[in-house]
Amino acid sequence: MNVTAHLPNDPAVEIRPGVFRPDWSLVTKRRAREALTGRLAARAGLLDRWALRLEAAEDLIWRTVLRLYADCGRPPMLADIAAASGIAADDIAGTLQTLWKHDLVALDPHSGDIRLAYPFTQVATGHRVELQGHVLHAPCAIDALGIADMYSTNVAISSRCHHCGAPVRVETASEGKALRSVMPSAAAVWYDFAYDASAATSCCPAIAFFCSEDHRRQWLNDQTPRREGIGLTMDEALEVGRAIFGPVLVEGSSDIQT
Ligand SMILES: [Zn+2]
């Protein structure tokens, strides 16, 4: 069974009319392209659970959660989402369960509170993102790098080398479309292809920053079994992050909001 053979060259999901995720038009670098296609091929064509088109009301709630998360620096409560979206809180609770099934958010199993909505999590992952006066945590390095373009702003990311613990700091420019600074200048990223039900608990812990290509290689050599994935420069990783997160808040080409 080779499902990938039947997929188009650039598999993407039209998340709303005219908005495709990932956005292949942003991908200019060969290894960034290999990262996005390799992830799919490594899993025999299994798409991430987020790779689908939501109903209009689900899509509105998803975007409302992400806007409020960034604006407030914390996950929104049901009442916040209801006030911002005009949808009744009872309906929102059910929709959040649907978004959880699609691995777009994660909820506290007891309280139902939002604990994660990619590219943000309440878990202290070590990837700290300074966004509009708030400090938020990203589940992985690629999520962190996609945030600025997604919100049309700039961010500063503070993390540590996944091998030696040395500080890594990345600042964006041009509303997230470019890198302003990378310290150390040779800092790199590992993009892992593992996926099992939830990105946050499968691939994310291994999608990390490294102070150098050398430390990324040393870390990779220490892994058993050997991990499937691809090493990226920071420029390449920025393209992957933008391709995945850039489309998330883009309005559809026709009026789908009610
Ligand atoms: Zn290091």
Side-chain angles (χ1 to χ4, degrees), residues 39 43 46-52 97-107 116 118 193-205:
R39 179 178 170 79
R43 292 178 288 117
L46 287 172
L47 287 164
D48 294 84
R49 285 201 286 163
W50 54 256
L52 82 174
Q97 294 285 339
T98 302
L99 297 179
W100 193 9
K101 287 195 189 83
H102 295 317
D103 195 27
L104 293 167
V105 305
L107 309 180
L116 169 152
Y118 302 97
F193 292 159
Y195 188 74
D196 179 17
S198 156
T201 55
S202 53
C203 53
C204 279

Side-chain angles (χ1 to χ4, degrees), residues 180-253:
R180 181 183 308 282
S181 63
V182 178
M183 292 183 294
S185 59
V189 167
W190 172 254
Y191 187 57
D192 203 85
F193 292 159
Y195 188 74
D196 179 17
S198 156
T201 55
S202 53
C203 53
C204 279
I207 299 179
F209 294 100
F210 292 84
C211 68
S212 64
E213 304 266 344
D214 192 42
H215 272 190
R216 189 186 62 214
R217 265 194 299 273
Q218 286 187 33
W219 169 82
L220 192 59
N221 288 340
D222 291 343
Q223 303 301 304
T224 45
R226 189 172 174 82
R227 299 207 69 103
E228 272 193 272
I230 187 169
L232 300 171
T233 65
M234 203 61 71
D235 277 316
E236 292 161 347
L238 180 73
E239 279 199 355
V240 174
R242 290 182 65 207
I244 295 173
F245 288 98
V248 167
L249 293 177
V250 174
E251 296 287 334
S253 56

Side-chain angles (χ1 to χ4, degrees), residues 65-255:
V65 166
L66 291 171
R67 290 211 176 89
L68 292 171
Y69 209 142
D71 287 348
C72 304
R74 58 167 176 77
M77 307 298 287
L78 280 187
D80 305 327
I81 304 166
S85 66
I87 296 174
D90 285 352
D91 295 334
I92 293 168
T95 299
L96 290 178
Q97 294 285 339
T98 302
L99 297 179
W100 193 9
K101 287 195 189 83
H102 295 317
D103 195 27
L104 293 167
V105 305
L107 309 180
D108 182 293
H110 302 294
S111 66
D113 290 345
I114 298 168
R115 305 300 299 161
L116 169 152
Y118 302 97
F120 305 121
T121 177
Q122 292 307 100
V123 176
T125 56
H127 310 301
R128 293 158 50 92
V129 181
E130 296 164 40
L131 170 71
Q132 296 166 350
H134 299 294
V135 176
L136 289 148
H137 284 93
C140 76
I142 293 294
D143 295 59
L145 287 164
I147 288 170
D149 187 37
M150 177 175 162
Y151 289 96
S152 300
T153 185
N154 285 309
V155 303
I157 301 163
S158 301
S159 189
R160 289 187 176 276
C161 174
H162 202 49
H163 183 66
C164 74
V168 173
R169 187 169 170 89
V170 178
E171 293 184 12
T172 67
S174 305
E175 297 188 329
K177 294 176 181 58
L179 297 172
R180 181 183 308 282
S181 63
V182 178
M183 292 183 294
S185 59
V189 167
W190 172 254
Y191 187 57
D192 203 85
F193 292 159
Y195 188 74
D196 179 17
S198 156
T201 55
S202 53
C203 53
C204 279
I207 299 179
F209 294 100
F210 292 84
C211 68
S212 64
E213 304 266 344
D214 192 42
H215 272 190
R216 189 186 62 214
R217 265 194 299 273
Q218 286 187 33
W219 169 82
L220 192 59
N221 288 340
D222 291 343
Q223 303 301 304
T224 45
R226 189 172 174 82
R227 299 207 69 103
E228 272 193 272
I230 187 169
L232 300 171
T233 65
M234 203 61 71
D235 277 316
E236 292 161 347
L238 180 73
E239 279 199 355
V240 174
R242 290 182 65 207
I244 295 173
F245 288 98
V248 167
L249 293 177
V250 174
E251 296 287 334
S253 56
S254 62
D255 181 19

